[in-house]
Amino acid sequence: PTSSPTEVIEIPLPPPGGQQDAEFDIDLGVPRCLTASSSCSTGGLVTGRGAMGPEQNAPNSLDACTDGNGGDYNISESIEAITVGSNTQDNMREGDTVTVTARVICWYTGASDVADFYYTTNVENPVWNFIASVDCVGGKGTEQELSVSYTLPGGSQHAVRVNYSYRTGERDVTSSCVEAPADQTLYNDVDDLVFTVEENIDLLV
């Protein structure tokens, strides 16, 4: 016993619902929205690429995937933000269709820049499921928004991944880390976003 008991300070969670900006989760090493919401965004937490920018807490990856450090910021490839949101005004829940949007910087014509989108329901030991690839179309240093949609499976903690890279040939999209010739990996950017999904009791019936 002490004459001055230790004060316990509780950090409040953000209120559920609505649009939410993620906060960096030091344990997972990526941005995370802790409560269910209609949308979750990295905000400026992933702006830049690796040492280029530089990107805060790079590489913002749940696993061993890393970023390249080649090029110049605002000219070469980079992911500036990721947002995942319900296609309705309601909170994201199991079974809903959501849209993932990556705001990226395109290099040159953008013709060789591609974003691969993935999701997982295991944020501790992620197994990534490929959604789709989207090409960047734009001029030097042009900012574009690239989007895909998918249906949320069961589980409360989800994550999406965007692999954005300069690519002149085909690659195996089943590999969630960008694999390319050595001179092309200089321009890879990988970013993950963890978010919370509400239970859908209709799926339990």
Side-chain angles (χ1 to χ4, degrees):
T2 63
S3 57
S4 300
T6 302
E7 180 182 1
V8 177
I9 300 176
E10 294 186 357
I11 301 175
L13 292 174
Q19 300 176 348
Q20 215 175 104
D21 285 332
E23 296 183 1
F24 182 72
D25 187 302
I26 193 170
D27 294 321
L28 294 176
V30 301
R32 181 184 189 184
C33 288
L34 289 170
T35 59
S37 58
S38 60
S39 71
C40 171
S41 175
T42 60
L45 293 179
V46 302
T47 298
R49 169 169 48 83
M52 192 184 71
E55 177 184 348
Q56 298 181 59
N57 304 299
N60 287 294
S61 165
L62 287 169
D63 50 30
C65 294
T66 59
D67 297 333
N69 294 310
D72 299 301
Y73 183 51
N74 275 333
I75 296 177
S76 302
E77 296 84 355
S78 66
I79 299 170
E80 298 298 282
I82 300 172
T83 301
V84 56
S86 171
N87 288 1
T88 71
Q89 298 298 314
D90 299 324
N91 287 349
M92 293 180 285
R93 68 173 189 163
E94 299 167 330
D96 283 356
T97 299
V98 296
T99 297
V100 186
T101 300
R103 183 160 52 86
V104 303
I105 299 288
C106 303
W107 175 78
Y108 196 45
T109 65
S112 297
D113 294 342
V114 184
D116 299 324
F117 291 79
Y118 300 83
Y119 74 88
T120 185
T121 56
N122 187 341
V123 300
E124 299 288 347
N125 296 289
V127 176
W128 295 102
N129 301 279
F130 176 67
I131 305 171
S133 296
V134 182
D135 296 337
C136 190
V137 180
K140 181 178 179 180
T142 299
E143 197 170 272
Q144 300 275 319
E145 289 191 345
L146 311 179
S147 298
V148 299
S149 295
Y150 76 104
T151 301
L152 292 172
S156 63
Q157 293 298 298
H158 294 232
V160 289
R161 159 167 290 180
V162 181
N163 269 333
Y164 183 51
S165 62
Y166 172 81
R167 193 177 314 157
T168 58
E170 296 295 325
R171 83 170 189 87
D172 182 6
V173 293
T174 61
S175 172
S176 59
C177 293
V178 173
E179 295 175 352
D183 61 333
Q184 294 182 22
T185 58
L186 293 172
Y187 309 104
N188 297 340
D189 195 2
V190 56
D191 289 315
D192 300 338
L193 172 62
V194 172
F195 59 101
T196 301
V197 172
E198 287 186 346
E199 182 182 36
N200 184 351
I201 59 173
D202 294 337
L203 296 182
L204 302 177
V205 177

